[in-house]
Amino acid sequence: LVSVGVGLFPQAALINHSCIPNCIVKFNGLHSLSIRSLRKMKAGEELTLSYVDPATTFGKRKLELLSTFRFDCHCPRCEWQQGVADLVVPFANEPPSSSSSSSSSSSSSSSSSSSSSTIISKKEDGLMYTLSFSSPVCPNP
């Protein structure tokens, strides 16, 4: 989203934020705006707008919302992404060989570049979580 000006629209200011909005703002010249739906909605469903660019990463959205609008988003998308982040943190703190269920890694290389993949599986609370990581290997500068 690119700021192109400032306006005061009290009715539009009442619309809450969501990182999966069901509406967008369309400016109609200098003195008016329209709120347009992005999909069919049920009667009584809350209208939501994204106050930040919804295409940015979870971390960037979270930081911009906190620094600009002074709130931490708890929309379904952010709750899901926070849950994924909470799953990854325990994996990041333990080496692949010490996972409680199984662990494997494989590497492949070619003449110009190589990459490694690590697959970690962990059983917790009766559920199996599997994370796969791939990263390119950069040559020394």
Side-chain angles (χ1 to χ4, degrees), residues 17 19 51-53 56-74 78 81-82:
H17 164 81
C19 293
Y51 297 173
V52 296
D53 184 352
T56 59
T57 64
F58 170 66
K60 287 180 182 179
R61 290 192 324 271
K62 187 174 182 75
L63 181 63
E64 186 175 354
L65 288 167
L66 194 57
S67 64
T68 305
F69 299 100
R70 307 282 189 239
F71 73 89
D72 193 18
C73 184
H74 293 282
C78 286
Q81 288 178 315
Q82 183 63 56

Side-chain angles (χ1 to χ4, degrees), residues 6-115:
V6 176
L8 183 59
F9 299 94
Q11 291 85 5
L14 296 172
I15 299 175
N16 286 325
H17 164 81
S18 176
C19 293
I20 44 173
N22 57 20
C23 295
I24 59 169
V25 174
K26 180 179 183 280
F27 290 94
N28 305 315
L30 295 175
H31 303 288
S32 70
L33 63 80
S34 299
I35 305 296
R36 301 197 137 195
S37 66
L38 293 170
R39 60 175 171 77
K40 287 186 176 185
M41 292 184 277
K42 296 176 184 171
E45 183 177 349
E46 178 183 20
L47 302 178
T48 57
L49 297 168
S50 184
Y51 297 173
V52 296
D53 184 352
T56 59
T57 64
F58 170 66
K60 287 180 182 179
R61 290 192 324 271
K62 187 174 182 75
L63 181 63
E64 186 175 354
L65 288 167
L66 194 57
S67 64
T68 305
F69 299 100
R70 307 282 189 239
F71 73 89
D72 193 18
C73 184
H74 293 282
C75 74
R77 181 179 179 195
C78 286
E79 289 295 308
W80 181 83
Q81 288 178 315
Q82 183 63 56
V84 170
D86 290 345
L87 282 176
V88 171
V89 170
F91 284 105
N93 293 327
E94 62 183 63
S97 60
S98 69
S99 68
S100 61
S101 168
S102 67
S103 175
S104 67
S105 68
S106 64
S107 297
S108 64
S109 63
S110 65
S111 60
S112 62
S113 67
S114 66
S115 65

